[in-house]
Each structure stands twice: as C-alpha cells, then as structure tokens.
Amino acid sequence: MHIQSEEAPLLPGLKPVLELLSSDPQRVDCVFCKKGLRSPEAREVQDLCRKNDIRFTLVEQAALDRLCRPGGPRRGDTREAGRDAVAHQGVVARLAATSFCELEHIFAAVEQAPLPIILALDQVQDPGNVGTLCRTLYALGGAGIILPRHNSAYLGPAARRSAAGALEHLPVARVTNLGHALDSAEEAGLMIYGAGGQNGPASVDAFAEPMRLPAVLVLGNEEKGLRPGIVKRCAHMLRIPLARSFDSLNVAQAGAILLGLTAARLKP
C-alpha cells in the first residue's frame, strides 16, 4: 500500500499519538495503525479515533516504515523498508496542517464579512481546487469555509500553495456531517445555494438572479458533484449559462464565477 504523505506533519509512536488523541484530538487528521497490533494502547488509540470521528487505517509494517523514513515515502524507492525509518511502534498520526474553528464562529462572522457568504465544499478532493477557492473567497471578503471531516482534500502544502496565504487567515470549520451543518446554517438565517443546477423548478440562472445574502454556497465533488442528501438541503441550485457547448467548468472555476458575480453586485 502506498501512503501519500504530501509532506504532511507526522507524529510517530504509540504513546505520543495516544497522548495527543487524549488531550487535543482536533490536531489529528488521521491515524495509520499496523495490522495485527493488539496491545491495550493500540486498542485505546482506535477507540479514541472512533470517539472523536478520526479516520484510522490499518496498514502493513513496511508502509509505516516508508512513511517514517526521513524525507517520507518516495515513488519507486526500492530500499529496504525499515532502513533509516523513525521508530513508530506501529502507529503514526498525520497532523492537521491548519487550525479549525467552530461552526458557530463562522456563522457569527458572516454578517460582518465584506462578502457575507460561507463556502461549503462537499467532498472536494483536489487540494489545489480547495486552495484556489480559499484564495478567491478570502480575496473577495468571504466569511469562511466548511469542510466535511471525511473525503475532503488534505489542507497540506499543496492546498497552501494554491491558497497563497489565504488559509492562514480564512476561518475553516471541519464538520462530521455536512448536511447537519447546512441545517444549522439555515436555522441561523442563511440561504443555502448549491452549484451545478440544471433546468428545473429550483434552478436559478446565476447571471440573471442575485443570491440572497447572507448565504452558504455549496460546491460539489470534482466528478460526482453534490450528493443527493446535500442537494435536498439547497433552497436553490445555481446554474452558470455557457455561451458555447462545453462539458463543464471545474469546481474552482465555477466557484470563482459565482463568488465574483455576487461580489460585483454588492458594489454601489
């Protein structure tokens, strides 16, 4: 199994990982555990992951050795797996590369934001797309980003390069259930819009009708778009009319157009 580290900050070692899971689980993005590890401490690591809804993956010893080798795993590296590897005792945590805020913090900030929009990303997995969207949202004055904890891009070096500094300033909330987060946003008085609408009763031409603010704009996965359960929570689905026959825009391009249109309409 090949583990992509993306130069992620790692914490190897059974006891250090256990201590961090106990004291500050928000700092842990995911945990890799050696297959067959059955000590009481190893079971406690997995129990804490389940309790805090942190993904853990069972992998072979060689995969952990490659991950903990100085410089991380290298594609095509044929050296002996354990050589020069940092001692990990069968457990390695990948740490969150950015700090996260509570959902309520973003709700509170949206009214004061120059562009009162929250961006919610439904399983967008390309870190370049996420970073570009963060950069666009921050530059235009948006309030923050909501990401589901699972099946979202890792906000590591690739996302940070694309964000060009925006991730250091833009509030980001990571939630267990995006649908429930959108329910909370609606209860807080925000209008929920989804991107990718086709012609239909809830479809809105983004060029013709302005978004009602404050709002949450939900963008979907690069290949599958929005999940059905997320679409149901959108009051309107926005479509971008294309002047030429074309397959589609990618998620970062579509998000930039919709955010730019809304920002332009706020100008006196």
Side-chain angles (χ1 to χ4, degrees):
M1 175 182 178
H2 173 71
I3 300 173
Q4 176 56 260
S5 71
E6 196 198 338
E7 302 175 2
L10 300 173
L11 179 65
L14 186 54
K15 290 187 177 180
V17 172
L18 184 56
E19 181 178 342
L20 187 59
L21 285 170
S22 301
S23 62
D24 195 3
Q26 274 288 95
R27 291 184 57 201
V28 181
D29 181 68
C30 66
V31 175
F32 303 104
C33 298
K34 177 185 172 183
K35 289 180 180 178
L37 200 62
R38 293 185 174 86
S39 67
E41 292 87 353
R43 287 196 295 270
E44 189 176 357
V45 164
Q46 295 181 17
D47 288 343
L48 285 170
C49 286
R50 293 186 187 98
K51 177 183 176 182
N52 293 287
D53 197 33
I54 295 169
R55 179 169 57 91
F56 68 88
T57 305
L58 301 180
V59 299
E60 299 292 346
Q61 167 89 23
L64 292 175
D65 289 344
R66 286 193 296 271
L67 188 66
C68 293
R69 185 181 302 144
R74 299 174 182 82
R75 194 180 297 261
D77 194 340
T78 58
R79 290 186 302 170
E80 183 181 347
R83 187 184 300 172
D84 299 326
V86 175
H88 51 70
Q89 301 171 304
V91 176
V92 178
R94 184 174 71 178
L95 305 183
T98 190
S99 58
F100 298 98
C101 68
E102 297 295 327
L103 194 59
E104 291 73 18
H105 174 80
I106 296 181
F107 292 163
V110 71
E111 293 286 355
Q112 285 73 44
L115 179 63
I117 291 180
I118 297 168
L119 204 56
L121 305 184
D122 182 24
Q123 298 190 345
V124 175
Q125 302 202 353
D126 186 316
N129 284 335
V130 176
T132 299
L133 286 165
C134 289
R135 182 178 186 176
T136 302
L137 184 69
Y138 182 72
L140 294 176
I145 297 267
I146 302 174
L147 300 172
R149 180 180 289 275
H150 299 300
N151 297 319
S152 289
Y154 177 60
L155 301 185
R160 288 179 174 275
R161 283 192 295 271
S162 297
L167 271 170
E168 279 70 31
H169 304 286
L170 190 69
V172 180
R174 189 167 59 171
V175 298
T176 300
N177 188 304
L178 183 59
H180 291 169
L182 295 177
D183 292 340
S184 298
E186 185 178 24
E187 291 170 5
L190 284 80
M191 181 66 74
I192 313 298
Y193 290 90
Q198 302 300 319
N199 291 324
S203 178
V204 173
D205 181 341
F207 287 2
E209 187 171 336
M211 292 172 62
R212 198 185 88 188
L213 304 175
V216 178
L217 174 60
V218 194
L219 302 174
N221 175 269
E222 288 87 349
E223 295 183 4
K224 299 178 181 178
L226 296 177
R227 290 173 291 168
I230 300 301
V231 172
K232 290 178 182 178
R233 289 173 162 90
C234 296
H236 299 286
M237 292 295 294
L238 300 174
R239 69 179 186 277
I240 299 172
L242 302 179
R244 290 191 171 100
S245 178
F246 197 69
D247 182 23
S248 65
L249 301 168
N250 93 353
V251 63
Q253 293 165 338
I257 289 170
L258 294 172
L259 292 170
L261 277 172
T262 307
R265 285 166 173 153
L266 290 179
K267 295 294 183 182

